[in-house]
Amino acid sequence: MSLTETSAFEIAAEVRAGRLRAVDVLDAHLANVAARESEIHAFNTVTADEARRSAEAVDAAVAAGRDPGPLAGVPIALKDNMCTRGVPTTCSSKILDGWKPPYDATVVELVANAGAVVVGKTNLDEFAMGSSTENSAFGPTFNPHDVTRVAGGSSGGSAAAVAARFASISLGSDTGGSIRQPAALCGVVGVKPTYGTVSRRGLVAFASSLDQIGPFSHDVRDSALLLEVISGHDPLDSTSIPQPSLQLLSELDRGVKGLRIGRITDLPGGSEPEVDERLSEAFDALAAAGATIVDVELPSMKFGLTAYYLVAPAEASSNLARYDGVRYGMRVEASDTNAMYMATRAAGFGDEVKRRIMLGTYALSAGYYDAYYGKALKVRRLISDDFARAYEKADVLVTPTSPIVAFPVGSKVDDPLSMYLCDVFTIPTNLAGHPAMSVPFGTGAHGLPVGVQVLAPTLGEAVMFRVAAELERGAR
Amino acid sequence: MSETFMIEGYELVCGLEVHVELATATKLFSASANRFGDEPNVHIDPVTLGLPGALPVLNRRAVELAMRIGLALNCTVQPCTFHRKNYFYPDMPKAYQISQYDQPLNIDGWLELPGGKRIGVERAHLEEDTGKSTHIGGSGGRIHGSDHSLIDFNRAGVPLVEIVGRPDITSPDEARQYVTELRQILVAIGASDAKMEEGSMRCDANVSVRKPGDPLGTRCEIKNVNSVRSLGRAIEYEARRQIALIESGEKIRQETRHWDENDGRTHTLRSKEDADDYRYFLEPDLVPLAPEKSWIDEVRASLPMLPRERRQRLSAATGAAADGEAVMVVVERGQDDYVLAVGEAGADVARALVHVKEAYAEQGSEPTVPAADLARLISMETSGALTATQAKTVLAEIVEAGGGDATAIAAAKGFEAMDTSELEAMVDDVIASNADAWAKYCGGEDKAMGALVGAIMKSSKGKADGKAVTALLQAKRGS
């Protein structure tokens, strides 16, 4: 087995044991980058030199008898909306042109301290707004399974970097499906943890009450390993849940016997037939492994998309107001301060970002707040209540991750609403703050990957990973 | 006091909004120092600058000081939340201010003026300060028309409490009293140094006028008032401006006005129509704050005696009026404990109040003379061993030296005590040589006493105590 096909779990074990050198693992991955990055465009920045120094430090530590940590020598890619000290952090936006953060995000510190080797910063839809990574100011990321198609988004670069084996694992951020949907489209595992289990400090905010960082990997075990490393309380994030890091690796082999798996009977329609077929096979696999399939209703799920496109843009309109050309990033000079703000923001933001800033500003405006933002908050509560009722009957819920497989580049860019529909199954999870993950489960149209989504209640990661591991076994 | 203040037949209605910077070591949401007067842009960090990815973490000490303010102002401390107030300004790094909106920390309190009138306090909430802009070029230090602007972010993120008073103030003098009393409370509880000149206490006034019995008039908000004195002037100017408009048949426009210290007028800053839509919404980066009862009780128990109580205590001890000048001044300077200590050391406490007020005119100056030394001096004075004039001279010397034995100083100055027998002999001599005046005095002409006292003082070269002389003369007359 080549070094790029070795799992992160095994790489770390071998490197820690001194049987494998981190620099060799890195070189193998960088060779893949050299071979295919020009057709994939997973990265905004490849940090080869820094990566080499990190890998050498890992090898030196092992040679000196020190343990570099649970991710020793594992090449990792970071979505380019996570602050990295001294390394450009662009959010794939022109407005952050030239900005190098003076600090590392908490997750960046955590993976570095665990011995991981950061190979680069990955492409995304500008400020994580999109479902195809076509809204990047630096051009789209292409799907490694078919480079005429999108990688999904917004964490398309992180998904593609793992799928193309440019990195063993990666981190993305998920506000409405931005980890799970590209994971499904690229045929990798992607996890959106419970809101508050992974620190958001240093994650450039899109919608603060929904954003959550999570892992991408080839298999369920590697996501469990990475999530164990990045979860846990961060006193510098006030929304971080005060509890120790998740323990997941020990759950993976427990099976699903006796678990109740919820099938949502009123799931919004419109999925491709192959996607529905894979879902049905997933239920069969879980039933065959001893789980009970139960029917549940989630009537408010269909309102999720609408509520999301009020709550997320509202927060975004506020979060993105700081890009004013005063202190960092791009500035377009003009006659006075107001003119400078306008010229800078007009030139610095792309169309989708501007669209959402306008949506959000309107939703929060005096006279419209109650009708839009206020009502969206009520729907949000309704969705949480529906989930709570469903979880009285079921331990987890299983749905498709995306209603469709990877679509051709350019096919949806002029139709924002059909693009928004890609997230219909993923968005309710973010509104409720729950965990959910996408697991590859066979293929659909054109032989492209299909992902099945496992949803769990707050802090239900342990049971979620048990079911995901079973689905992974069932898919083989 | 209870008379209604009127200008040309109109009543004044005024509510004050006071911002105070809290005396914390660090900022409201980050670990940078909260310090005034340093080189620009040294107390900064990702949170202060609103860098991408930075998150606020609430300062517990700031919450505690805000609770102290609320409790000192008789407010209810309640579970609360933080909101974002969105607007663009170069010294506002995130383009929103984290403030409290519909659920503030402290609500429904009051402040009692020295005369006893209570001014309602609607709320006292926590928020962060902005940076400080200096506009170079152009006119009037405004951003509009300036060549460029300099921004100092040292102040950005400094914790503020905004104290919103109810419109219960009906005269410029009450407004001054309110701010003076509030300042004393803030300093006493250690919440802020509350210096208007340095901007650690800032006051905006909402002013309207009406004919007695009429509904409330349209109000204008006055900003940029930088001293207690200016506050009274600005309010009175604004009331007169509004009355003149009404009298000439015009309507008051609701607007924000800027007080100009130089021309003594208020000028339009922005009208209500131009007001920003702040698009308040719950700050998603913070969680609700619900101070537990034990914490509130602990803070309440740790509050010191407040100025009003201290004035009442001093008034009770000295017999001077609680809202009289001597008591007000001495408590404001924080010298009341000292006055009471002098009293406890055996001296007449009323006399101590007068001496401390006079001798320590510097505000806040800590009396250095040991209470016992001052007590000895006062005892000599009240026993007649020193005249009031002599006592003053000795006191000045003791204060200058930071203490001293009044007896020794008096002796060194030749202020030796005149004993009663010596004085009596002198009185007898004067009676003998002023038989005429004595006869008149004995005949009931009290004003004849003046001539006798004058003669005695003269022959004693001022060493005789006036009171003792008067008492002796009365005793000898037999009345």
Side-chain angles (χ1 to χ4, degrees):
Chain A
M1 193 186 277
S2 85
L3 284 180
T4 55
E5 278 161 32
T6 308
S7 73
F9 186 87
E10 287 159 334
I11 291 171
E14 294 298 295
V15 168
R16 289 167 104 172
R19 292 190 293 265
L20 183 60
R21 294 195 323 150
V23 287
D24 295 334
V25 177
L26 174 65
D27 284 341
H29 286 86
L30 289 178
N32 279 358
V33 173
R36 286 197 77 194
E37 169 63 1
S38 61
E39 60 170 355
I40 306 292
H41 186 214
F43 291 102
N44 289 338
T45 310
V46 176
T47 52
D49 294 345
E50 292 92 334
R52 182 161 303 279
R53 281 196 293 275
S54 306
E56 284 166 356
V58 166
D59 289 334
V62 173
R66 292 194 307 273
D67 181 8
L71 296 176
V74 176
I76 188 170
L78 305 173
K79 190 177 184 179
D80 201 14
N81 62 351
M82 297 169 200
C83 288
T84 41
R85 185 204 297 259
V87 174
T89 298
T90 68
C91 296
S92 288
S93 179
K94 286 187 280 187
I95 203 135
L96 277 168
D97 184 40
W99 184 61
K100 292 178 182 176
Y103 74 109
D104 278 328
T106 296
V107 287
V108 175
E109 291 173 349
L110 288 171
V111 296
N113 291 343
V117 172
V118 177
V119 295
K121 305 292 292 291
T122 61
N123 198 14
L124 62 149
D125 286 295
E126 186 177 4
F127 283 101
M129 297 179 187
S131 307
S132 69
T133 316
E134 292 169 290
N135 295 331
S136 166
F138 310 126
T141 294
F142 300 91
N143 194 311
H145 295 272
D146 177 348
V147 293
T148 67
R149 291 173 185 268
V150 301
S154 67
S155 309
S158 287
V162 171
R165 300 192 183 272
F166 295 164
S168 176
I169 51 176
S170 66
L171 288 178
S173 66
D174 188 315
T175 306
S178 281
I179 290 174
R180 291 160 286 162
Q181 186 258 17
L185 270 50
C186 288
V188 297
V189 175
V191 185
K192 192 287 249 201
T194 300
Y195 185 80
T197 51
V198 179
S199 171
R200 290 185 299 116
R201 178 180 156 273
L203 171 68
V204 181
F206 158 20
S208 314
S209 76
L210 303 164
D211 297 341
Q212 188 64 191
I213 291 173
F216 286 98
S217 62
H218 282 284
D219 63 31
V220 171
R221 186 173 58 177
D222 281 357
S223 274
L225 171 67
L226 180 50
L227 188 49
E228 285 193 356
V229 168
I230 60 172
S231 60
H233 183 233
D234 180 2
L236 297 178
D237 173 358
S238 308
T239 62
S240 170
I241 301 173
Q243 59 147 26
S245 60
L246 297 167
Q247 295 304 310
L248 301 168
L249 288 168
S250 53
E251 299 291 326
L252 303 180
D253 297 326
R254 290 184 59 192
V256 294
K257 192 162 287 184
L259 287 184
R260 300 164 305 164
I261 313 291
R263 173 166 47 200
I264 301 172
T265 52
D266 50 357
L267 199 67
S271 295
E272 291 172 347
E274 298 88 344
V275 170
D276 283 337
E277 287 163 21
R278 294 298 87 74
L279 180 66
S280 156
E281 290 162 16
F283 282 117
D284 292 345
L286 293 172
T292 310
I293 311 302
V294 295
D295 285 346
V296 299
E297 288 182 352
L298 218 62
S300 60
M301 194 172 186
K302 55 181 173 291
F303 303 123
L305 207 63
T306 322
Y308 174 84
Y309 276 98
L310 291 165
V311 172
E315 293 183 17
S317 71
S318 174
N319 282 328
L320 271 62
R322 70 187 62 193
Y323 306 106
D324 56 7
V326 174
R327 283 149 293 126
Y328 47 79
M330 173 190 264
R331 179 192 291 186
V332 178
E333 296 293 349
S335 56
D336 63 26
T337 313
N338 277 332
M340 186 276 284
Y341 288 155
M342 285 191 265
T344 299
R345 291 168 66 82
F349 289 136
D351 286 347
E352 183 62 26
V353 170
K354 286 176 188 164
R355 184 154 41 232
R356 297 204 197 185
I357 289 173
M358 285 189 280
L359 271 173
T361 303
Y362 187 79
L364 287 173
S365 299
Y368 299 99
Y369 180 98
D370 290 341
Y372 294 110
Y373 186 72
K375 191 164 266 179
L377 293 184
K378 285 179 190 151
V379 170
R380 197 173 175 175
R381 203 162 315 131
L382 223 56
I383 289 172
S384 292
D385 293 347
D386 275 1
F387 270 124
R389 270 189 292 275
Y391 286 124
E392 284 171 10
K393 292 194 200 166
D395 298 300
V396 297
L397 309 179
V398 173
T399 72
T401 304
S402 162
I404 54 175
V405 294
F407 46 89
V409 171
S411 63
K412 287 180 189 288
V413 281
D414 295 325
D415 187 359
L417 285 181
S418 86
M419 189 80 88
Y420 295 173
L421 279 170
C422 293
D423 297 329
V424 64
F425 301 134
T426 50
I427 274 174
T429 297
N430 298 78
L431 290 170
H434 294 167
M437 66 192 286
S438 181
V439 184
F441 201 87
T443 54
H446 315 288
L448 291 162
V450 168
V452 164
Q453 183 182 215
V454 184
L455 301 85
T458 297
L459 295 176
E461 273 85 351
V463 66
M464 178 176 86
F465 268 86
R466 271 173 77 183
V467 174
E470 194 61 54
L471 281 172
E472 187 175 57
R473 286 189 284 270
R476 279 191 192 122
Chain B
M1 187 87 16
S2 57
E3 268 172 53
T4 313
F5 175 85
M6 301 278 278
I7 307 176
E8 293 162 28
Y10 286 83
E11 287 174 2
L12 170 70
V13 178
C14 174
L16 298 180
E17 288 173 16
V18 178
H19 286 86
V20 288
E21 287 181 357
L22 298 181
T24 53
T26 57
K27 294 190 178 183
L28 185 52
F29 298 117
S30 81
S32 284
N34 166 18
R35 257 204 345 250
F36 176 82
D38 287 339
E39 203 184 311
N41 296 313
V42 292
H43 303 308
I44 56 170
D45 60 86
V47 174
T48 298
L49 292 179
L51 293 188
L55 294 176
V57 178
L58 184 59
N59 181 336
R60 186 182 167 92
R61 179 64 182 158
V63 175
E64 201 162 276
L65 291 181
M67 281 164 53
R68 286 176 83 79
I69 292 174
L71 294 171
L73 296 176
N74 309 291
C75 289
T76 304
V77 177
Q78 62 166 14
C80 59
T81 54
F82 290 88
H83 273 65
R84 291 186 184 178
K85 179 181 180 178
N86 297 281
Y87 65 95
F88 284 97
Y89 202 77
D91 62 21
M92 169 70 79
K94 302 185 294 299
Y96 58 81
Q97 178 193 30
I98 303 177
S99 180
Q100 296 194 293
Y101 183 53
D102 53 358
Q103 292 167 294
L105 178 62
N106 305 295
I107 55 163
D108 289 337
W110 75 84
L111 178 146
E112 193 171 308
L113 300 183
K117 177 174 173 178
R118 283 181 180 183
I119 307 296
V121 171
E122 189 183 316
R123 54 191 284 158
H125 69 253
L126 266 170
E127 62 185 29
E128 58 179 337
D129 210 342
T130 62
K132 199 168 163 44
S133 297
T134 311
H135 305 298
I136 311 294
S139 63
R142 312 267 189 94
I143 188 168
H144 187 73
S146 62
D147 295 334
H148 62 274
S149 302
L150 300 174
I151 311 171
D152 177 7
F153 289 108
N154 284 353
R155 198 182 69 178
V158 161
L160 293 178
V161 164
E162 180 176 349
I163 301 157
V164 181
R166 294 192 189 280
D168 297 340
I169 290 170
T170 55
S171 74
D173 187 51
E174 279 182 6
R176 280 189 294 257
Q177 287 182 38
Y178 176 87
V179 171
T180 307
E181 183 70 9
L182 181 58
R183 200 190 109 71
Q184 284 192 46
I185 292 172
L186 294 169
V187 171
I189 64 178
S192 175
D193 61 5
K195 290 179 180 163
M196 281 187 87
E197 324 77 59
E198 289 184 5
S200 59
M201 177 163 168
R202 305 193 279 273
C203 185
D204 302 332
N206 284 294
V207 175
S208 67
V209 295
R210 65 170 167 188
K211 285 265 170 69
D214 281 359
L216 287 173
T218 303
R219 67 191 156 85
C220 290
E221 185 181 7
I222 312 172
K223 289 190 175 290
N224 194 43
V225 181
N226 296 320
S227 69
V228 174
R229 186 174 157 271
S230 299
L231 177 65
R233 286 176 67 207
I235 291 169
E236 180 149 3
Y237 171 84
E238 179 59 22
R240 290 188 187 279
R241 186 190 71 86
Q242 292 181 14
I243 291 165
L245 278 177
I246 294 168
E247 288 292 313
S248 64
E250 288 181 60
K251 276 196 166 166
I252 311 292
R253 283 202 318 159
Q254 187 174 336
E255 59 186 9
T256 304
R257 301 182 63 84
H258 184 91
W259 167 251
D260 188 328
E261 189 66 48
N262 298 319
D263 69 1
R265 293 162 185 261
T266 63
H267 303 273
T268 299
L269 201 59
R270 57 178 176 269
S271 71
K272 194 191 174 192
E273 292 76 50
D274 304 333
D276 283 315
D277 177 356
Y278 292 125
R279 294 177 286 118
Y280 279 101
F281 73 101
L282 208 59
E283 164 58 287
D285 288 333
L286 291 169
V287 291
L289 167 69
E292 55 275 28
K293 190 180 174 298
S294 59
W295 190 18
I296 300 172
D297 290 344
E298 200 180 293
V299 172
R300 195 194 307 274
S302 73
L303 284 178
M305 194 182 283
L306 297 179
R308 182 172 52 85
E309 249 178 295
R310 286 166 57 175
R311 287 194 299 266
Q312 283 163 351
R313 180 181 63 153
L314 189 60
S315 165
T318 60
D323 60 345
E325 196 204 349
V327 170
M328 293 282 290
V329 162
V330 164
V331 168
E332 183 172 0
R333 291 185 201 149
Q335 297 162 340
D336 48 330
D337 280 342
Y338 179 69
V339 170
L340 295 173
V342 173
E344 265 164 39
D348 176 355
V349 70
R351 201 67 208 145
L353 174 64
V354 173
H355 279 315
V356 170
K357 183 198 160 229
E358 297 296 331
Y360 293 98
E362 285 283 302
Q363 175 157 353
S365 69
E366 195 68 40
T368 49
V369 175
D373 288 0
L374 184 57
R376 182 174 301 120
L377 171 74
I378 292 171
S379 298
M380 287 176 72
E381 185 188 2
T382 47
S383 74
L386 287 175
T387 66
T389 322
Q390 288 170 342
K392 243 183 202 173
T393 312
V394 175
L395 178 61
E397 203 149 300
I398 291 177
V399 168
E400 177 75 27
D405 181 356
T407 319
I409 295 169
K413 289 204 167 295
F415 293 168
E416 74 275 9
M418 198 172 250
D419 70 33
T420 316
S421 58
E422 195 183 344
L423 183 64
E424 205 167 346
M426 195 176 287
V427 170
D428 287 342
D429 281 355
V430 169
I431 288 174
S433 54
N434 292 276
D436 211 28
W438 176 245
K440 281 184 186 164
Y441 177 60
C442 289
E445 283 185 47
D446 278 355
K447 53 186 178 184
M449 185 173 74
L452 296 167
V453 172
I456 295 161
M457 294 309 274
K458 195 179 168 189
S459 79
S460 76
K461 300 188 178 72
K463 285 181 195 169
D465 181 52
K467 272 191 210 158
V469 171
T470 309
L472 269 172
L473 288 172
Q474 283 168 343
K476 287 188 180 294
R477 185 175 69 173
S479 68

